[in-house]
Amino acid sequence: LYAIPKKEHEAIKSSFSRLALIPHIAPRIEHQLNHNSRSKGDRMVIHSNGDWLDILVFKDHELILSNCFYIASKEDVAYYTLFCAEALQLDTEAHLMIISGAIKAKDETLDLLSKYWQNIEPASLLHNATVSDHFPSYPTTELDYLTQSLLCAL
């Protein structure tokens, strides 16, 4: 989780006394912890927004890693996921990886990950969400993060 400089934090807090700063990854962690409590198995959850990659790792229904990496290529995605797997001694043949964001089915990044990781699934398929016909058709993995994000609260 990234901190902001103390001076900026104090200025924001003095201007907006009831404001709570929440890291961008916090809602995804909460969602996965709630999901993990209802399911079995360990998992690595990765979400890419093109320039960065969030990696969450859960073992025994607990968060053991949360980190964000800047990425420039599909090789960066593979490197960071495999680096985390090795550091945490995850079995890439048994451990579930859930993908969302800019990583799509039939994508070069997914093809590369599939060479190293055996059990990859897309994030939730937004079964309970309705998307307006005015929006172009998007792969559901790109929009998954919206169901887990606190977009604005006053």
Side-chain angles (χ1 to χ4, degrees):
L1 303 177
Y2 296 103
I4 62 172
K6 185 176 181 180
K7 211 175 207 181
E8 282 84 351
H9 184 262
E10 290 171 351
I12 291 169
K13 290 300 273 184
S14 67
S15 297
F16 304 99
S17 61
R18 297 183 341 170
L19 178 74
L21 297 176
I22 301 171
H24 78 281
I25 203 167
R28 185 172 297 281
I29 292 170
E30 183 176 357
H31 171 81
Q32 285 297 320
L33 286 171
N34 289 337
H35 180 74
N36 277 347
S37 69
R38 296 188 307 268
S39 66
K40 295 180 180 175
D42 301 333
R43 68 189 66 218
M44 176 183 281
V45 179
I46 65 171
H47 177 83
S48 172
N49 193 25
D51 294 333
W52 48 261
L53 178 72
D54 289 331
I55 298 181
L56 304 174
V57 179
F58 298 87
K59 282 181 101 173
D60 300 323
H61 303 290
E62 293 187 14
L63 177 68
I64 61 169
L65 174 76
S66 170
N67 211 337
C68 183
F69 303 93
Y70 287 102
I71 56 173
S73 68
K74 63 183 182 287
E75 291 81 11
D76 288 346
V77 175
Y79 172 80
Y80 288 121
T81 55
L82 293 171
F83 174 79
C84 292
E86 183 177 345
L88 298 170
Q89 299 177 339
L90 305 179
D91 181 355
T92 59
E93 291 185 16
H95 206 92
L96 173 64
M97 177 186 285
I98 298 174
I99 59 165
S100 67
I103 303 169
K104 305 171 189 78
K106 299 180 183 176
D107 177 274
E108 289 181 7
T109 303
L110 183 57
D111 290 343
L112 181 59
L113 286 172
S114 298
K115 292 179 182 179
Y116 305 101
W117 210 280
Q118 303 304 308
N119 191 7
I120 301 176
E121 294 180 4
S124 65
L125 299 177
L126 301 177
H127 295 297
N128 297 325
T130 303
V131 179
S132 170
D133 294 336
H134 297 286
F135 289 101
S137 178
Y138 288 100
T140 56
T141 56
E142 284 189 54
L143 299 175
D144 173 72
Y145 74 96
L146 292 174
T147 66
Q148 301 165 26
S149 297
L150 178 61
L151 300 177
C152 182
L154 299 175

